Amino acid sequence: NSTGRTTSRFRGGGHKRRLRLIDFRFMKKDVLATVETIEYDPNRSAFIALVKDADGEHRYVLAHTTMKVGDTIITSDNAKPVAGNRLLISNIPTGLFVHNVELIIGKGAQAVRSAGASAQIISQEGDYTQVKLNSGEVRFVHKLCYATVGQVSNIDHNQIVIVTTDRS
């Protein structure tokens, strides 16, 4: 404080981080985007990818496990269900793994965004799709919500490696 005494111990510090805005809403439909770089982001556990749209605009998206520079991705209602493409959850075949799951129509991706996370499409019933999350919870997601096909990158995040040496 102003008298020089420590009033709260072990607080503060840390490195100042530049915030990278990630596009979780994917507002541009039916526009091809090309992956330019895959980068480390200090603000999250997964890697991010800088993509350039066909009209020249750049944006960041979450990278999936098999993404590499030069890949093309698209957000469309009826795109092919290949890794990186974002499409209506009703158009994703059962059994496929997804991430960036939208829970409320038009709100943007809210679930399954951390490193190595994925959810599995279990079934399509009426207006809803059953999605099994990493925790084992099964959620009903409206069929007009979007999801990205694939698993989030950086699967090895926070994996503890124990190295033992033989002392014989």
Side-chain angles (χ1 to χ4, degrees), residues 70-86:
D71 287 354
T72 57
I73 58 174
I74 190 168
T75 300
S76 178
D77 292 348
N78 49 10
K80 290 183 181 177
V82 296
N85 285 352
R86 187 164 177 80

Side-chain angles (χ1 to χ4, degrees), residues 37-72:
T37 60
I38 295 177
E39 303 175 9
Y40 168 78
D41 187 0
N43 300 305
R44 64 192 71 251
S45 58
F47 295 122
I48 58 175
L50 179 67
V51 297
K52 182 178 180 181
D53 292 331
D55 59 0
E57 183 181 342
H58 287 84
R59 58 192 166 105
Y60 282 110
V61 297
L62 281 185
H64 60 84
T65 53
T66 60
M67 185 177 276
K68 57 187 179 302
V69 175
D71 287 354
T72 57

Side-chain angles (χ1 to χ4, degrees), residues 32-154:
L32 275 175
T34 306
V35 177
E36 292 201 331
T37 60
I38 295 177
E39 303 175 9
Y40 168 78
D41 187 0
N43 300 305
R44 64 192 71 251
S45 58
F47 295 122
I48 58 175
L50 179 67
V51 297
K52 182 178 180 181
D53 292 331
D55 59 0
E57 183 181 342
H58 287 84
R59 58 192 166 105
Y60 282 110
V61 297
L62 281 185
H64 60 84
T65 53
T66 60
M67 185 177 276
K68 57 187 179 302
V69 175
D71 287 354
T72 57
I73 58 174
I74 190 168
T75 300
S76 178
D77 292 348
N78 49 10
K80 290 183 181 177
V82 296
N85 285 352
R86 187 164 177 80
L87 53 151
L88 284 175
I89 206 160
S90 61
N91 295 336
I92 300 174
T94 57
L96 276 186
F97 289 95
V98 295
H99 66 278
N100 266 354
V101 179
E102 193 174 50
L103 299 177
I104 299 171
I105 300 170
K107 190 170 182 181
Q110 291 179 282
V112 196
R113 299 186 340 188
S114 64
S118 65
Q120 189 174 20
I121 305 294
I122 294 180
S123 69
Q124 309 278 353
E125 299 176 4
D127 287 342
Y128 291 90
T129 299
Q130 282 190 3
V131 179
K132 184 176 182 181
L133 304 178
N134 256 359
S135 63
E137 177 187 358
V138 177
R139 295 284 300 255
F140 282 93
V141 179
H142 198 278
K143 288 189 173 188
L144 295 179
C145 291
Y146 282 82
T148 306
V149 179
Q151 183 179 12
V152 184
S153 63
N154 201 10

